[in-house]
Amino acid sequence: MSGLVPVEDGREAVEAAPAGYDTSGRVSRTDVRTARKRVAGRVRKTPVFHTSVAGPAGPVPVSLKLEYLQHGGTFKVRGAYNTLLGAAVVTERVVIASGGNAGIAAALATSQLGIACTVVVPESAPHTKVAAMWSHGAEVLWHGADYTEAHRYASDFAAERGATQLHAEDLPAVVAGVGVVGLELEDQVRGRPPVLVAVGGGALVAGVAAALGRRQQVIGVEPVSAPALHTALESDRPRSGARGDDPLAERIGGVSLGIARRYGVRSLLVTDDAVTAARDYLWREFRVLVESAGATALAAVQSGVYVPLPGERPVVVLCSANSEVALP
């Protein structure tokens, strides 16, 4: 049974990984390269769009990594595939607690691999995302008002049914899988510009950092209303933070935090208004529709929180497209 377990040094409890998964906590560039081979042919190598966007002092050259075009509209499908394909043991049914993109990713990956999937969602789960889980054949069970309650129910479900339990973020195989985004960027973008990545549960920013190491600067961007990584880097411990759009992204896990510290990942904070403005701008100027998390990294550039050096063209990852609210 997987649940909440204490860790050393008095840190907060973190989710324990189910049997069959690597729980060492370290993710190397080699792990990410192995993940790229493992998921080849199952995920998209998403394109990069070189353009300019409006900034406080005029146009800012950027390279937009269009990861929102990934299968299922989320980078998390990379981690789901890598975890399932690399696991020592996977039963006939997989269960995951998720109210958002992790559940969609698990549903999609299991459907392609011929594995049954149950997603336990909190009552606050967005209908659009639940519908996407259904569309990939997943069984969806509602339980609890928040992710913690849903996760506990999923753990009990896994124990009772003998199912394999997946985790949304803080698992080395998940981080390595989504880190393939970083390897793709090395092939697609000349030089070694900084890479700006939205922070939710931390897997994407950690995976990109593990892939690129200290070759390129990786910068996490998160709203001031949910500064989980920012706070964790200051305190050196995983911390919780409220997430308005994704009830699951409540903490930065130990795996992701360790990678962020190891490779010197910076954290920038943007206002919720800046995120909304960036999201609206993407739709208005490019007819790109992403959810708020997908526009968070761009908000740092447009609001002036991140100012590129002269001649620098930063990479901005647009990570997710499962929007609950349509733009006008």
Side-chain angles (χ1 to χ4, degrees):
M1 176 177 175
S2 172
L4 298 178
V5 297
V7 294
E8 297 179 358
D9 301 326
R11 297 181 179 180
E12 294 182 31
V14 297
E15 295 173 8
Y21 296 113
D22 173 21
T23 58
S24 65
R26 294 189 67 88
V27 179
S28 67
R29 179 176 170 87
T30 298
D31 295 324
V32 182
R33 294 176 70 179
T34 298
R36 177 167 60 178
K37 294 178 181 178
R38 187 177 288 143
V39 303
R42 297 186 182 275
V43 301
R44 291 179 178 135
K45 181 176 182 178
T46 53
V48 167
F49 176 38
H50 304 291
T51 186
S52 293
V53 298
V60 180
V62 295
S63 296
L64 302 178
K65 174 66 168 170
L66 308 185
E67 183 62 16
Y68 70 92
L69 295 176
Q70 188 55 255
H71 294 298
T74 173
F75 67 91
K76 293 186 179 184
V77 73
R78 298 175 184 266
Y81 269 125
N82 190 51
T83 301
L84 290 168
L85 293 171
V89 177
V90 175
T91 58
E92 294 182 353
R93 177 171 294 276
V94 160
V95 61
I96 185 172
S98 171
N101 290 333
I104 296 172
L108 190 157
T110 52
S111 70
Q112 294 300 307
L113 296 175
I115 303 170
C117 180
T118 296
V119 185
V120 181
V121 303
E123 296 170 0
S124 57
H127 176 74
T128 299
K129 296 187 178 184
V130 171
M133 298 171 199
W134 280 331
S135 74
H136 296 298
E139 174 188 38
V140 179
L141 304 177
W142 279 265
H143 186 85
D146 56 28
Y147 171 66
T148 299
E149 294 181 19
H151 173 71
R152 287 173 180 164
Y153 185 84
S155 298
D156 292 341
F157 181 97
E160 293 171 3
R161 301 287 186 90
T164 298
Q165 187 174 4
L166 296 184
H167 290 253
E169 294 281 349
D170 200 41
L171 198 65
V174 171
V175 174
V178 300
V180 176
V181 170
L183 298 183
E184 291 179 3
L185 287 172
E186 287 186 320
D187 297 335
Q188 296 171 315
V189 180
R190 293 181 179 180
R192 296 177 178 177
V195 182
L196 278 66
V197 184
V199 178
L204 182 57
V205 70
V208 173
L212 301 178
R214 294 188 178 274
R215 297 171 182 81
Q216 290 177 241
Q217 184 180 33
V218 178
I219 301 169
V221 185
E222 53 193 335
V224 294
S225 58
L229 176 61
H230 192 86
T231 304
L233 288 173
E234 290 183 343
S235 64
D236 193 26
R237 59 185 291 182
R239 297 297 293 270
S240 297
R243 289 290 193 276
D245 288 343
D246 186 351
L248 297 187
E250 295 179 343
R251 71 170 62 243
I252 295 297
V255 173
S256 297
L257 176 59
I259 293 169
R261 292 189 65 83
R262 188 177 312 129
Y263 295 114
V265 174
R266 294 170 52 197
S267 171
L268 299 178
L269 301 180
V270 295
T271 66
D272 292 337
D273 286 345
V275 173
T276 299
R279 184 170 178 261
D280 291 347
Y281 178 85
L282 285 169
W283 174 249
R284 184 174 65 252
E285 297 297 324
F286 302 111
R287 284 302 185 260
V288 167
L289 180 58
V290 295
E291 55 192 282
S292 294
T296 300
L298 181 62
V301 174
Q302 291 201 291
S303 66
V305 169
Y306 179 80
V307 180
L309 296 173
E312 180 183 273
R313 180 189 290 269
V315 175
V316 177
V317 180
L318 306 182
C319 60
S320 49
N322 294 299
S323 178
E324 179 72 6
V325 180
L327 292 172

